[in-house]
Amino acid sequence: MNRLKRVKLNQLKVKDSFWSPVQELVTDEMIPYQEKVFKDEIPDVEKSHALANLRIAAGMEQGEYYGMVFQDSDLAKWLEGAAYSLVIKPDKELEQRVDAIIDIIEKAQQPDGYLNTYFTIKEPEHRWQNLLECHELYCAGHMMEAAAAYAETTGKDKFLHVMERMADHIEGRFGTDKERGIPGHQEIELGLMRLYDVTGKDKYLKLAKYFIDERGQNPNYFKEEKQKRDWDHFHMDPENTFYNQSFAPVRQQRTAEGHSVRAVYMYTAMADIAGRTGDKELYEACVRLWDNITQKRMYITGGIGSTVEGEAFTKDYDLPNDMAYAETCASIGLIFFAKKMLDIEPAGKYADILEQALYNGVLSGMQMDGKKFFYVNPLEVNPGISGELFGYKHVRPQRQGWYTCACCPPNLARLLTSLAQYAWSEGEDAVYSHLFLGGEFDLDKAFISVHSSYPWEGRVVYHVEGKQKSAFKIAVRIPAWAQNPKVLLNGEEIDVDSCRKDGYCYLERVWGKEDILEVSFDMRIRKIYANTAVREDAGCVALMRGPLVYCFEGIDNGELHSLRVCTGKEAKAKERVCTEGIFKGMTLLKVPGVRMTGSEQLYSETAPSSEPVTLTAIPYYAWGNRGINQMRVWMLEKR
Amino acid sequence: MNRLKRVKLNQLKVKDSFWSPVQELVTDEMIPYQEKVFKDEIPDVEKSHALANLRIAAGMEQGEYYGMVFQDSDLAKWLEGAAYSLVIKPDKELEQRVDAIIDIIEKAQQPDGYLNTYFTIKEPEHRWQNLLECHELYCAGHMMEAAAAYAETTGKDKFLHVMERMADHIEGRFGTDKERGIPGHQEIELGLMRLYDVTGKDKYLKLAKYFIDERGQNPNYFKEEKQKRDWDHFHMDPENTFYNQSFAPVRQQRTAEGHSVRAVYMYTAMADIAGRTGDKELYEACVRLWDNITQKRMYITGGIGSTVEGEAFTKDYDLPNDMAYAETCASIGLIFFAKKMLDIEPAGKYADILEQALYNGVLSGMQMDGKKFFYVNPLEVNPGISGELFGYKHVRPQRQGWYTCACCPPNLARLLTSLAQYAWSEGEDAVYSHLFLGGEFDLDKAFISVHSSYPWEGRVVYHVEGKQKSAFKIAVRIPAWAQNPKVLLNGEEIDVDSCRKDGYCYLERVWGKEDILEVSFDMRIRKIYANTAVREDAGCVALMRGPLVYCFEGIDNGELHSLRVCTGKEAKAKERVCTEGIFKGMTLLKVPGVRMTGSEQLYSETAPSSEPVTLTAIPYYAWGNRGINQMRVWMLEKR
């Protein structure tokens, strides 16, 4: 098994007309906003109390713990995001404030290495008794990821050492020939792998692998645990083994089941471990699970987890649009999983979905002002129904300032600030460009500066400055949907077919100091049909252009369910670059359609008649930025 | 205000090729089956214990109360059905068993007239303290209806006197200048009106009117009540004033809100009181509520109450098919309401809907063997999803033997056995035929014998034997959908247009001893479209023929959401009378359609292609009689 290298973020400088403004929003608005939330300084949003919990645990403040049992993890994800943001935009004051928080974390750590504000403040006698419900390992995993990130981006190791002590505490307790245990919510595996990355210590990889392999073994750990303790936290039923993916040993799992964030975090760790250890059986399980998700259980937006009940996967082809769950965190987790798979096998099937989730189901999680967030990302919203009636109560028709369970906002922060890492991998003999991200990228084999006006235009230029005298490949992704892809090397056209393999175009040579590689393709508007087995998309069409899924909003188009999108040969949707307002610079679509008008009666024999209309479609990620109104991705089609 | 007379059941003998077998099923299977359920003699179904509760309350047996707080009402509805069934099929043994039950009821009645097994056995100290939740008035109302029915059909008055004593007990307690009170679940009003019918005692009408008018007055009774007591039964929130229609005085209500059975029972009582008292304001409220239901909040099947949450109405045009609630009892209540409106104003808009609910959303509640029942009547069922996943758990894909809350099965029994009463009304100068029900009907003005092969054929023959020397009208309903209606009087064609008014054809004359009136109309297959505001029916068509809504089942047609019904001018659905199997004698439809086949991929640019197929549609009421399989009423259309 090939195994590509994750490129360190410090080497990567994003300068992209699409993403740099988003990253600026994150550094300038979202990270400061979220910091204020953690400090309970934002009025009229759900209270966080995450920093106060930490200070109380550190003995610096009197007070009661407040929040979910996993409140520490919100702060951890933010710390990770803050660490990455320092690469995008060095900020001494932020760094000092983070250092101050790390000092508190260190003080909150117990003499034996234990770190968790909930159990330290509220139930010290209950530590490690309820892994099913209490997220101790989950919070530890997020703190490890944050600590590793901060060490990597700042070179400071205090936080890293704190988390190494916690990892050692855990490693001293759980494992083969030690106490049995697995996390109720997978994440520790990812944290341990990040510690392994940064420290190179095998024991962390070994422990991560233990947690992965122990899951689903007989007897089920969670059932045993529940019998041992006489207290519950959430009254979770350990018999619901799908929920936490303990229904079978992970290597035998064939379908993506249960809580979708738990699932994709686990698959990410499985892929990471498989890649590093060459564990073929584990890798094959990952491929099966990837295929099941992306071929049967994923929204076109890259959203996963169709149901609010258990925030879970349901069944093949069950993808309701108006009842969708499609948690932002789940799509983020799908990106994590995709990247780990790419690092084993650079194939378009992973990168295309990574990109699809990123530009749609993930980016939709954030208001264009960076201050409001979706937890649930529906593909259809109906004001007066969504968020109000049974079945739709979880579907908020507009983004919220904060959530009681606030996993998504800081998860967005850490993903978006580390985005460059998802754009590149380096192998022994190749450099891989997965995403068309403009910027300056100081890779081991070459310094590559990229100019791109993606996703609006399909043209990307790579200025390559080779660093080695021997030949190596630059592999540039060609999306599966790209029509007429053209590749020019120093102005000369390359035969794409001859160098294209699994979604990448491979160009091997000794790269000079001023080589220019230009990739371009047609960004036509694509009419997308779902598999006919998807009940909820029957008779419908969705529009994509490049990686972007488009949607229709009521504010532009009126009542959406009485409209049809014309898909006949004559009917051509047109692009229009928006020149003003909040959508300035975006390519919107003008789509030929009809509006159906029927009888006033509730039921009648009068077939609705149609009048032609021109519909406006906007990128899905931008929906819900103009007040509460109707939205649909899948529109009924008129052929 | 005109006010028609309810014709007594004893005068009406149904002999109908469609309904007589159904009534036989009720008398021969359903009523004996339900009697066994009440006696806890049917294994593997939800336990009823209703008769045991009664014997315990009567001091004839030791034991604990079991069941819902309204368990008495199941038995009451069955008693009412049994009373009616004695007209259809005299049965001395059944009558003796009913008499024996009435003896127990009498014994269970307390010295002060109080009758309710739950409070007598379990919480005698809590009587009349919790009208919001505890159904004391509801159970009393059903017992009153049963007692009045039994008195009317058998002439025996013991049960009637028992319930008069209970009514007097209630009347002594509640009313203007007495204790305040209204029922949490409306029904007592209907019971009192039936007592008023049979006894002619004004006090019962007055008390019914009190309960109607007191609802929704300020301060809200339920909120006051809740403050007074220190116990709850169901933890209902009296602030949810929509649920029990206490959000406004009933005369001011403009939309059908809340629990749909509560609502239509109340509207029925309102219409009944309005009709008898000439209360125009109350009547106008009824018209508004009727129009709101039937023009904005009713399924094509006559199902009402779109959501499982509170078994309630939701919003105008919100009619999800696969999440429908559409409780059998609610459609039955809609029929009650329709009949009371008809008795005030004989108009097609009431009778057409009465018939539509009867042949579809009501009849679907019963398995063709009479032993299994739907509580919820969906318009779309998807095996593996319906009854299993969030949002669809209440939608059972097959009928059940019994329910913990078993309101629907005995409600079906009493409606179907008293069906003839819904077919006729008599006014001062006219006889109204609302339903095309074959049989012999001994009305005050005429003896009419009807031959009909409805709903399969649109031809009904009335043999009229006038009983009076003066002229009177016979008004025969002409359904709004009937095309080319023809009326022949003694073989001579009448100009329908000249005698048609509000859905009825009026023929006035001195009726002889052997007049023959023949009504016929075209029973063509109708393609029905929903108002374009109904999201869930957009792009779809449903088929009706006569009063019957048709549906498609997977067993006949394969995967339903990949099919389209062709509606072009060329595409004609055909009738085929089924000659064998459980559907023998039914008219099924052979419908031109296409099956869509697309890419194997979850999402692709390949538009599904179509191949022509012939689809089979069956009457909606007959669905679910061939094992679990997919079902849809609304099918995507290919024009």
Side-chain angles (χ1 to χ4, degrees):
Chain A
M1 239 154 44
N2 192 15
R3 156 81 193 146
L4 303 183
K5 216 184 70 170
R6 198 174 121 268
V7 181
K8 280 186 189 156
L9 205 58
N10 303 37
Q11 301 167 233
L12 309 172
K13 186 93 196 148
V14 176
K15 289 183 179 177
D16 185 88
S17 58
F18 185 86
W19 285 108
S20 290
V22 174
Q23 288 195 328
E24 262 168 49
L25 210 57
V26 177
T27 57
D28 297 359
E29 299 292 341
M30 207 157 134
I31 286 182
Y33 174 84
Q34 294 186 4
E35 188 180 355
K36 285 196 187 106
V37 170
F38 295 129
K39 289 177 175 167
D40 303 318
E41 291 172 359
I42 306 280
D44 303 325
V45 300
E46 292 288 343
K47 177 169 136 179
S48 164
H49 208 254
L51 261 168
N53 290 340
L54 202 60
R55 277 197 301 270
I56 296 164
M60 300 164 69
E61 190 174 304
Q62 293 294 308
E64 293 294 317
Y65 183 90
Y66 175 88
M68 305 295 275
V69 71
F70 46 80
Q71 211 79 345
D72 286 356
S73 67
D74 297 340
L75 184 65
K77 279 185 274 191
W78 177 85
L79 285 167
E80 189 183 342
Y84 299 141
S85 84
L86 294 172
V87 175
I88 297 169
K89 186 183 171 186
D91 179 338
K92 278 290 150 204
E93 286 179 19
L94 173 63
E95 193 170 333
Q96 280 168 12
R97 295 198 304 278
V98 171
D99 284 338
I101 293 172
I102 290 167
D103 288 344
I104 307 173
I105 292 173
E106 191 182 35
K107 285 207 185 83
Q109 185 166 43
Q110 302 299 294
D112 59 357
Y114 185 83
L115 176 69
N116 181 294
T117 69
Y118 178 85
F119 283 98
T120 299
I121 299 171
K122 283 194 79 164
E123 303 183 29
E125 74 284 10
H126 281 161
R127 272 191 194 182
W128 302 129
Q129 288 176 17
N130 190 342
L131 302 187
L132 175 64
E133 302 180 318
C134 287
H135 292 69
E136 278 165 296
L137 292 170
Y138 173 84
C139 289
H142 273 303
M143 284 286 183
M144 289 173 196
E145 289 206 82
Y150 201 63
E152 271 195 346
T153 62
T154 63
K156 296 179 185 172
D157 60 7
K158 183 195 264 193
F159 193 11
L160 182 67
H161 292 325
V162 167
M163 292 319 299
E164 277 199 81
R165 284 196 293 278
M166 176 60 164
D168 294 344
H169 172 92
I170 295 167
E171 200 266 342
R173 180 163 201 130
F174 298 105
T176 319
D177 304 327
K178 296 176 202 165
E179 200 174 308
R180 228 184 141 203
I182 49 170
H185 191 315
Q186 300 90 320
E187 161 61 32
I188 182 74
E189 303 87 339
L190 295 171
L192 288 165
M193 291 306 287
R194 289 286 274 136
L195 284 193
Y196 172 65
D197 260 351
V198 176
T199 67
K201 293 180 182 169
D202 266 341
K203 61 182 173 182
Y204 300 138
L205 167 63
K206 203 174 144 205
L207 183 59
K209 190 166 174 300
Y210 166 78
F211 285 132
I212 287 293
D213 281 334
E214 193 63 16
R215 184 169 297 267
Q217 298 296 345
N218 238 332
N220 185 296
Y221 168 73
F222 297 122
K223 296 181 195 174
E224 282 195 333
E225 178 191 272
K226 165 101 177 171
Q227 280 170 348
K228 268 188 225 155
R229 63 178 147 81
D230 57 356
W231 59 283
D232 279 347
H233 187 89
F234 287 122
H235 303 291
M236 279 185 191
D237 180 3
E239 296 296 328
N240 185 357
T241 56
F242 275 99
Y243 178 70
N244 54 37
Q245 297 80 37
S246 69
F247 59 96
V250 301
R251 292 158 192 273
Q252 292 166 28
Q253 298 188 14
R254 301 188 158 269
T255 50
E257 302 293 349
H259 187 268
S260 58
V261 177
R262 282 170 166 78
V264 284
Y265 279 20
M266 179 175 85
Y267 307 153
T268 304
M270 285 163 63
D272 200 4
I273 294 167
R276 285 168 203 264
T277 60
D279 186 328
K280 202 158 169 259
E281 188 188 33
L282 197 57
Y283 168 65
E284 281 165 1
C286 290
V287 173
R288 281 197 308 268
L289 292 163
W290 176 269
D291 290 346
N292 178 248
I293 292 175
T294 58
Q295 292 172 18
K296 305 218 169 127
R297 301 188 174 197
M298 185 188 77
Y299 290 97
I300 191 175
T301 54
I304 53 173
S306 319
T307 181
V308 60
E309 192 174 68
E311 311 181 307
F313 290 103
T314 58
K315 302 199 172 186
D316 289 349
Y317 303 117
D318 177 52
L319 296 160
N321 296 308
D322 52 0
M323 286 169 61
Y325 202 70
E327 184 181 337
T328 307
C329 284
S331 293
I332 291 173
L334 185 64
I335 289 178
F336 297 160
F337 183 22
K339 184 57 170 37
K340 295 299 176 195
M341 294 305 280
L342 270 180
D343 286 346
I344 301 174
E345 184 198 358
K349 77 172 185 174
Y350 302 115
D352 285 358
I353 297 287
L354 189 163
E355 184 179 76
Q356 200 164 335
L358 176 66
Y359 280 92
N360 301 292
V362 167
L363 199 52
S364 66
M366 191 174 100
Q367 191 88 350
M368 287 172 67
D369 65 4
K371 290 179 185 167
K372 291 186 169 177
F373 308 95
F374 275 132
Y375 193 108
V376 166
N377 294 276
L379 282 79
E380 176 181 333
V381 154
N382 298 293
I385 307 293
S386 306
E388 293 187 31
L389 298 188
F390 168 81
Y392 311 102
K393 290 200 178 166
H394 61 288
V395 180
R396 307 276 184 96
Q398 60 183 342
R399 295 175 184 83
Q400 309 291 306
W402 203 247
Y403 290 85
T404 312
C405 173
C407 47
C408 301
N411 224 352
L412 273 167
R414 68 177 182 139
L415 177 81
L416 296 173
T417 47
S418 60
L419 192 60
Q421 283 198 321
Y422 297 87
W424 295 96
S425 302
E426 257 191 290
E428 264 184 36
D429 60 349
V431 165
Y432 292 87
S433 166
H434 306 303
L435 298 175
F436 305 112
L437 202 59
E440 288 161 9
F441 306 106
D442 187 11
L443 308 175
D444 289 355
K445 294 187 189 55
F447 181 89
I448 303 181
S449 119
V450 182
H451 295 272
S452 153
S453 47
Y454 201 74
W456 309 120
E457 288 167 35
R459 184 165 171 275
V460 192
V461 181
Y462 297 80
H463 289 261
V464 183
E465 199 179 320
K467 292 186 183 176
Q468 65 182 43
K469 286 179 181 158
S470 55
F472 67 94
K473 295 172 206 143
I474 294 183
V476 176
R477 177 174 145 256
I478 308 286
W481 45 261
Q483 219 174 26
N484 303 322
K486 280 208 177 71
V487 178
L488 300 179
L489 182 58
N490 297 321
E492 258 178 71
E493 190 162 347
I494 303 286
D495 174 19
V496 174
D497 288 340
S498 70
C499 63
R500 193 175 186 176
K501 191 193 150 214
D502 275 355
Y504 286 78
C505 179
Y506 289 81
L507 294 166
E508 184 166 17
R509 67 193 317 252
V510 179
W511 292 87
K513 294 287 164 199
E514 284 190 353
D515 282 333
I516 297 177
L517 182 62
E518 189 182 330
V519 177
S520 63
F521 39 79
D522 189 354
M523 291 292 267
R524 79 195 188 290
I525 300 163
R526 309 196 304 285
K527 294 166 192 159
I528 307 291
Y529 295 89
N531 189 301
T532 54
V534 182
R535 288 188 323 281
E536 311 274 352
D537 299 340
C540 291
V541 64
L543 299 179
M544 291 187 73
R545 182 178 178 277
L548 297 177
V549 173
Y550 278 73
C551 73
F552 296 78
E553 284 198 294
I555 195 172
D556 298 314
N557 303 293
E559 193 180 71
L560 299 178
H561 46 275
S562 55
L563 298 171
R564 310 281 182 272
V565 164
C566 296
T567 56
K569 277 192 181 156
E570 314 282 280
K572 284 242 154 136
K574 287 180 188 146
E575 298 160 10
R576 183 181 296 170
V577 177
C578 190
T579 55
E580 55 179 12
I582 55 165
F583 295 161
K584 191 172 172 178
M586 288 185 194
T587 300
L588 309 186
L589 307 186
K590 293 291 171 184
V591 183
V594 291
R595 181 181 309 284
M596 308 305 288
T597 314
S599 163
E600 289 280 303
Q601 289 182 59
L602 183 52
Y603 304 110
S604 79
E605 292 187 66
T606 312
S609 59
S610 59
E611 54 166 338
V613 285
T614 298
L615 307 175
T616 300
I618 64 165
Y620 173 75
Y621 75 81
W623 86 270
N625 277 283
R626 295 174 295 171
I628 292 182
N629 79 132
Q630 207 181 9
M631 185 278 289
R632 278 179 86 124
V633 169
W634 292 97
M635 295 285 282
L636 280 165
E637 179 195 21
K638 184 182 164 71
R639 286 207 194 171
Chain B
M1 240 153 45
N2 192 16
R3 155 81 194 143
L4 304 182
K5 217 185 68 171
R6 198 173 121 268
V7 181
K8 281 186 187 153
L9 204 59
N10 303 38
Q11 300 168 234
L12 309 173
K13 187 90 195 151
V14 176
K15 288 183 180 175
D16 185 89
S17 59
F18 184 85
W19 286 108
S20 289
V22 174
Q23 290 195 328
E24 262 167 49
L25 209 58
V26 177
T27 57
D28 297 358
E29 301 290 341
M30 207 157 135
I31 287 184
Y33 173 83
Q34 294 186 4
E35 189 181 352
K36 285 199 187 108
V37 170
F38 295 130
K39 290 178 175 167
D40 304 318
E41 291 171 1
I42 306 279
D44 303 326
V45 301
E46 292 287 344
K47 177 167 136 181
S48 166
H49 208 253
L51 263 169
N53 290 340
L54 203 60
R55 277 196 301 270
I56 295 164
M60 299 165 69
E61 190 175 306
Q62 295 292 311
E64 294 293 317
Y65 183 90
Y66 175 89
M68 306 294 277
V69 70
F70 46 81
Q71 210 79 345
D72 286 357
S73 68
D74 297 340
L75 184 63
K77 280 185 273 190
W78 177 84
L79 285 166
E80 189 183 344
Y84 300 141
S85 85
L86 295 173
V87 175
I88 298 169
K89 186 182 173 185
D91 179 338
K92 279 290 149 202
E93 286 180 17
L94 173 63
E95 194 170 331
Q96 280 168 11
R97 295 199 304 276
V98 171
D99 285 337
I101 293 172
I102 290 168
D103 289 342
I104 307 173
I105 292 173
E106 191 181 35
K107 285 205 185 85
Q109 185 166 43
Q110 302 299 293
D112 60 357
Y114 185 83
L115 176 70
N116 180 296
T117 69
Y118 178 85
F119 283 98
T120 300
I121 299 170
K122 284 194 80 163
E123 303 184 28
E125 73 283 11
H126 281 163
R127 272 194 197 179
W128 302 129
Q129 288 177 17
N130 190 341
L131 302 187
L132 175 64
E133 302 180 318
C134 286
H135 292 68
E136 277 164 296
L137 292 170
Y138 172 85
C139 288
H142 273 303
M143 283 287 183
M144 288 172 196
E145 289 205 83
Y150 200 64
E152 271 195 347
T153 63
T154 65
K156 296 178 185 173
D157 59 8
K158 183 194 266 192
F159 193 10
L160 183 68
H161 293 323
V162 167
M163 291 320 298
E164 278 200 79
R165 286 195 292 275
M166 175 60 165
D168 294 343
H169 172 93
I170 295 167
E171 200 268 341
R173 181 164 201 131
F174 298 104
T176 320
D177 305 327
K178 296 175 204 163
E179 199 175 307
R180 230 186 140 202
I182 49 169
H185 191 315
Q186 299 90 321
E187 161 61 32
I188 182 73
E189 303 88 339
L190 295 171
L192 288 165
M193 291 306 286
R194 288 287 276 138
L195 283 192
Y196 172 65
D197 260 352
V198 175
T199 67
K201 293 178 184 171
D202 267 341
K203 62 182 173 183
Y204 300 138
L205 167 63
K206 204 175 144 201
L207 183 58
K209 189 166 174 301
Y210 165 78
F211 285 132
I212 287 294
D213 281 333
E214 193 62 18
R215 182 169 299 265
Q217 298 297 344
N218 238 333
N220 185 297
Y221 168 74
F222 296 123
K223 294 181 195 174
E224 283 194 334
E225 178 192 272
K226 165 103 178 169
Q227 279 169 349
K228 267 187 226 156
R229 63 178 146 80
D230 56 356
W231 58 283
D232 280 346
H233 187 88
F234 287 122
H235 303 291
M236 279 184 190
D237 179 4
E239 296 296 330
N240 185 359
T241 56
F242 275 100
Y243 178 70
N244 53 37
Q245 297 79 37
S246 69
F247 59 97
V250 300
R251 290 156 192 275
Q252 293 167 26
Q253 298 187 14
R254 301 187 158 273
T255 50
E257 302 292 350
H259 187 267
S260 58
V261 176
R262 281 170 166 78
V264 284
Y265 278 21
M266 179 175 85
Y267 308 153
T268 304
M270 285 162 64
D272 200 5
I273 294 167
R276 285 166 202 265
T277 62
D279 186 330
K280 201 154 168 265
E281 188 188 34
L282 197 56
Y283 168 65
E284 281 164 1
C286 290
V287 174
R288 283 198 307 269
L289 292 163
W290 176 268
D291 290 346
N292 177 248
I293 292 175
T294 58
Q295 292 171 19
K296 307 222 169 122
R297 302 188 175 197
M298 185 188 76
Y299 289 97
I300 191 174
T301 54
I304 53 174
S306 318
T307 181
V308 60
E309 192 173 68
E311 311 180 308
F313 290 103
T314 58
K315 303 200 172 185
D316 289 349
Y317 302 117
D318 177 54
L319 296 160
N321 295 309
D322 53 359
M323 285 169 62
Y325 202 69
E327 184 181 337
T328 307
C329 283
S331 294
I332 291 173
L334 185 65
I335 289 178
F336 296 160
F337 183 23
K339 184 58 172 34
K340 295 300 176 194
M341 294 305 280
L342 269 180
D343 285 347
I344 301 173
E345 184 199 1
K349 76 172 184 176
Y350 302 116
D352 285 358
I353 297 286
L354 189 162
E355 185 179 77
Q356 199 165 338
L358 176 65
Y359 281 92
N360 301 291
V362 167
L363 200 51
S364 66
M366 192 174 95
Q367 192 87 350
M368 288 172 68
D369 65 4
K371 291 180 184 166
K372 290 185 171 181
F373 308 95
F374 276 132
Y375 193 110
V376 166
N377 293 277
L379 282 79
E380 176 181 333
V381 155
N382 297 293
I385 307 293
S386 307
E388 293 186 31
L389 297 189
F390 169 82
Y392 311 103
K393 290 200 180 169
H394 61 288
V395 181
R396 307 276 184 98
Q398 60 184 343
R399 295 175 184 82
Q400 309 290 306
W402 203 248
Y403 290 86
T404 311
C405 173
C407 47
C408 301
N411 223 353
L412 273 167
R414 67 178 183 138
L415 176 81
L416 295 173
T417 47
S418 61
L419 191 59
Q421 283 198 321
Y422 298 86
W424 296 96
S425 302
E426 254 189 293
E428 263 183 37
D429 61 351
V431 165
Y432 292 87
S433 167
H434 307 302
L435 297 175
F436 305 113
L437 202 59
E440 289 160 9
F441 306 108
D442 188 10
L443 309 174
D444 289 355
K445 294 187 190 56
F447 180 90
I448 303 180
S449 119
V450 182
H451 296 271
S452 153
S453 46
Y454 200 75
W456 308 121
E457 288 166 36
R459 185 165 171 273
V460 191
V461 182
Y462 298 79
H463 289 261
V464 182
E465 199 179 321
K467 292 185 182 177
Q468 65 181 45
K469 285 177 183 159
S470 54
F472 68 93
K473 294 170 208 145
I474 294 183
V476 176
R477 178 175 145 256
I478 309 284
W481 46 259
Q483 219 174 25
N484 304 322
K486 280 207 179 73
V487 178
L488 300 180
L489 182 59
N490 298 320
E492 258 178 70
E493 190 161 349
I494 304 286
D495 174 21
V496 174
D497 289 342
S498 69
C499 62
R500 192 175 185 175
K501 192 192 146 210
D502 274 356
Y504 286 78
C505 180
Y506 289 81
L507 294 167
E508 184 168 20
R509 68 192 318 248
V510 178
W511 292 87
K513 293 289 164 195
E514 284 190 355
D515 282 334
I516 296 177
L517 181 63
E518 190 182 330
V519 178
S520 63
F521 39 77
D522 190 354
M523 292 291 270
R524 77 195 189 290
I525 300 164
R526 309 196 304 285
K527 293 164 191 161
I528 307 292
Y529 296 88
N531 189 301
T532 53
V534 182
R535 289 188 320 282
E536 311 272 353
D537 298 341
C540 290
V541 64
L543 299 178
M544 290 187 75
R545 183 179 177 276
L548 297 178
V549 173
Y550 278 74
C551 71
F552 295 79
E553 284 198 292
I555 195 173
D556 298 314
N557 302 295
E559 193 181 70
L560 299 178
H561 47 275
S562 55
L563 298 171
R564 309 282 181 271
V565 165
C566 296
T567 58
K569 276 190 186 159
E570 315 282 283
K572 286 243 154 138
K574 288 181 190 146
E575 297 159 10
R576 183 180 298 170
V577 177
C578 189
T579 55
E580 54 178 11
I582 55 164
F583 296 160
K584 192 174 170 177
M586 290 184 191
T587 301
L588 309 186
L589 308 185
K590 293 291 168 184
V591 184
V594 290
R595 181 180 309 284
M596 309 304 287
T597 314
S599 163
E600 290 280 303
Q601 288 182 59
L602 182 52
Y603 305 110
S604 79
E605 292 187 66
T606 311
S609 59
S610 60
E611 55 164 337
V613 284
T614 298
L615 307 175
T616 300
I618 64 164
Y620 173 74
Y621 75 78
W623 86 270
N625 277 284
R626 294 175 293 170
I628 293 183
N629 78 132
Q630 207 181 8
M631 185 278 289
R632 278 178 87 125
V633 169
W634 292 97
M635 294 285 283
L636 280 164
E637 180 194 20
K638 182 182 166 71
R639 286 205 196 175

